[in-house]
PDB file of all heavy atoms in Angstrom:
ATOM      1  N   CYS B1473      76.884  93.439-192.303  1.00 98.00           N
ATOM      2  CA  CYS B1473      77.497  93.444-193.739  1.00 98.00           C
ATOM      3  C   CYS B1473      78.378  94.735-193.908  1.00 98.00           C
ATOM      4  O   CYS B1473      78.253  95.683-193.046  1.00 98.00           O
ATOM      5  CB  CYS B1473      76.357  93.562-194.714  1.00 98.00           C
ATOM      6  SG  CYS B1473      75.400  94.922-194.818  1.00 98.00           S
ATOM      7  N   THR B1474      79.220  94.571-194.924  1.00 98.00           N
ATOM      8  CA  THR B1474      80.319  95.683-195.180  1.00 98.00           C
ATOM      9  C   THR B1474      80.140  96.031-196.691  1.00 98.00           C
ATOM     10  O   THR B1474      80.296  95.203-197.451  1.00 98.00           O
ATOM     11  CB  THR B1474      81.571  95.361-194.696  1.00 98.00           C
ATOM     12  OG1 THR B1474      81.618  95.062-193.268  1.00 98.00           O
ATOM     13  CG2 THR B1474      82.645  96.467-195.058  1.00 98.00           C
ATOM     14  N   LEU B1475      80.031  97.278-196.979  1.00 98.00           N
ATOM     15  CA  LEU B1475      80.021  97.807-198.368  1.00 98.00           C
ATOM     16  C   LEU B1475      81.383  98.558-198.603  1.00 98.00           C
ATOM     17  O   LEU B1475      81.780  99.211-197.749  1.00 98.00           O
ATOM     18  CB  LEU B1475      78.853  98.734-198.549  1.00 98.00           C
ATOM     19  CG  LEU B1475      77.489  98.144-198.077  1.00 98.00           C
ATOM     20  CD1 LEU B1475      76.343  99.183-198.467  1.00 98.00           C
ATOM     21  CD2 LEU B1475      77.176  96.822-198.501  1.00 98.00           C
ATOM     22  N   GLN B1476      81.836  98.343-199.749  1.00 98.00           N
ATOM     23  CA  GLN B1476      83.172  98.877-200.157  1.00 98.00           C
ATOM     24  C   GLN B1476      83.012 100.033-201.120  1.00 98.00           C
ATOM     25  O   GLN B1476      82.158 100.044-202.068  1.00 98.00           O
ATOM     26  CB  GLN B1476      84.033  97.823-200.618  1.00 98.00           C
ATOM     27  CG  GLN B1476      84.315  96.705-199.668  1.00 98.00           C
ATOM     28  CD  GLN B1476      85.288  97.147-198.525  1.00 98.00           C
ATOM     29  OE1 GLN B1476      85.840  98.161-198.572  1.00 98.00           O
ATOM     30  NE2 GLN B1476      85.356  96.358-197.527  1.00 98.00           N
ATOM     31  N   CYS B1477      84.006 100.993-200.996  1.00 98.00           N
ATOM     32  CA  CYS B1477      84.065 102.117-201.860  1.00 98.00           C
ATOM     33  C   CYS B1477      85.559 102.399-202.149  1.00 98.00           C
ATOM     34  O   CYS B1477      86.304 102.729-201.197  1.00 98.00           O
ATOM     35  CB  CYS B1477      83.315 103.381-201.339  1.00 98.00           C
ATOM     36  SG  CYS B1477      83.577 104.909-202.310  1.00 98.00           S
ATOM     37  N   ASN B1478      86.074 102.311-203.356  1.00 97.00           N
ATOM     38  CA  ASN B1478      87.431 102.681-203.780  1.00 97.00           C
ATOM     39  C   ASN B1478      87.397 103.801-204.705  1.00 97.00           C
ATOM     40  O   ASN B1478      86.476 103.934-205.584  1.00 97.00           O
ATOM     41  CB  ASN B1478      88.114 101.458-204.465  1.00 97.00           C
ATOM     42  CG  ASN B1478      88.173 100.298-203.599  1.00 97.00           C
ATOM     43  OD1 ASN B1478      88.212 100.437-202.340  1.00 97.00           O
ATOM     44  ND2 ASN B1478      88.411  99.119-204.155  1.00 97.00           N
ATOM     45  N   TYR B1479      88.212 104.816-204.483  1.00 96.00           N
ATOM     46  CA  TYR B1479      88.166 105.969-205.315  1.00 96.00           C
ATOM     47  C   TYR B1479      89.588 106.395-205.806  1.00 96.00           C
ATOM     48  O   TYR B1479      90.584 106.032-205.275  1.00 96.00           O
ATOM     49  CB  TYR B1479      87.638 107.131-204.481  1.00 96.00           C
ATOM     50  CG  TYR B1479      88.284 107.528-203.311  1.00 96.00           C
ATOM     51  CD1 TYR B1479      89.259 108.546-203.322  1.00 96.00           C
ATOM     52  CD2 TYR B1479      88.057 106.928-202.095  1.00 96.00           C
ATOM     53  CE1 TYR B1479      89.981 108.966-202.187  1.00 96.00           C
ATOM     54  CE2 TYR B1479      88.817 107.282-200.951  1.00 96.00           C
ATOM     55  CZ  TYR B1479      89.736 108.322-200.879  1.00 96.00           C
ATOM     56  OH  TYR B1479      90.363 108.634-199.829  1.00 96.00           O
ATOM     57  N   THR B1480      89.557 107.133-206.944  1.00 94.00           N
ATOM     58  CA  THR B1480      90.735 107.656-207.428  1.00 94.00           C
ATOM     59  C   THR B1480      90.763 109.173-207.507  1.00 94.00           C
ATOM     60  O   THR B1480      91.604 109.867-208.225  1.00 94.00           O
ATOM     61  CB  THR B1480      90.988 107.164-208.887  1.00 94.00           C
ATOM     62  OG1 THR B1480      89.895 107.504-209.708  1.00 94.00           O
ATOM     63  CG2 THR B1480      91.150 105.544-208.878  1.00 94.00           C
ATOM     64  N   VAL B1481      89.777 109.747-206.766  1.00 86.00           N
ATOM     65  CA  VAL B1481      89.602 111.136-206.792  1.00 86.00           C
ATOM     66  C   VAL B1481      90.883 111.979-206.165  1.00 86.00           C
ATOM     67  O   VAL B1481      91.262 111.565-205.014  1.00 86.00           O
ATOM     68  CB  VAL B1481      88.339 111.642-206.043  1.00 86.00           C
ATOM     69  CG1 VAL B1481      88.219 113.157-205.863  1.00 86.00           C
ATOM     70  CG2 VAL B1481      87.109 111.028-206.729  1.00 86.00           C
ATOM     71  N   SER B1482      91.381 112.884-206.775  1.00 84.00           N
ATOM     72  CA  SER B1482      92.443 113.660-206.345  1.00 84.00           C
ATOM     73  C   SER B1482      92.491 115.083-206.840  1.00 84.00           C
ATOM     74  O   SER B1482      92.230 115.326-207.964  1.00 84.00           O
ATOM     75  CB  SER B1482      93.827 112.888-206.782  1.00 84.00           C
ATOM     76  OG  SER B1482      94.896 113.619-206.203  1.00 84.00           O
ATOM     77  N   PRO B1483      92.809 116.087-205.944  1.00 86.00           N
ATOM     78  CA  PRO B1483      92.964 115.908-204.446  1.00 86.00           C
ATOM     79  C   PRO B1483      91.704 115.538-203.849  1.00 86.00           C
ATOM     80  O   PRO B1483      90.642 115.850-204.243  1.00 86.00           O
ATOM     81  CB  PRO B1483      93.596 117.264-204.174  1.00 86.00           C
ATOM     82  CG  PRO B1483      93.074 118.201-205.074  1.00 86.00           C
ATOM     83  CD  PRO B1483      92.931 117.433-206.357  1.00 86.00           C
ATOM     84  N   PHE B1484      91.803 115.063-202.581  1.00 87.00           N
ATOM     85  CA  PHE B1484      90.711 114.586-201.762  1.00 87.00           C
ATOM     86  C   PHE B1484      90.204 115.613-200.833  1.00 87.00           C
ATOM     87  O   PHE B1484      91.011 116.260-200.122  1.00 87.00           O
ATOM     88  CB  PHE B1484      91.102 113.301-201.134  1.00 87.00           C
ATOM     89  CG  PHE B1484      90.037 112.766-200.151  1.00 87.00           C
ATOM     90  CD1 PHE B1484      89.066 112.005-200.619  1.00 87.00           C
ATOM     91  CD2 PHE B1484      90.038 113.028-198.772  1.00 87.00           C
ATOM     92  CE1 PHE B1484      88.035 111.476-199.750  1.00 87.00           C
ATOM     93  CE2 PHE B1484      89.133 112.672-198.019  1.00 87.00           C
ATOM     94  CZ  PHE B1484      88.010 111.804-198.353  1.00 87.00           C
ATOM     95  N   SER B1485      88.880 115.716-200.725  1.00 86.00           N
ATOM     96  CA  SER B1485      88.334 116.702-199.687  1.00 86.00           C
ATOM     97  C   SER B1485      87.486 115.973-198.689  1.00 86.00           C
ATOM     98  O   SER B1485      87.757 116.043-197.544  1.00 86.00           O
ATOM     99  CB  SER B1485      87.556 117.792-200.410  1.00 86.00           C
ATOM    100  OG  SER B1485      86.931 118.647-199.401  1.00 86.00           O
TER     101      SER B1485
END
Side-chain angles (χ1 to χ4, degrees):
Chain B
C1473 67
T1474 300
L1475 314 181
Q1476 299 289 344
C1477 172
N1478 297 338
Y1479 61 93
T1480 59
V1481 175
S1482 182
F1484 173 86
S1485 175

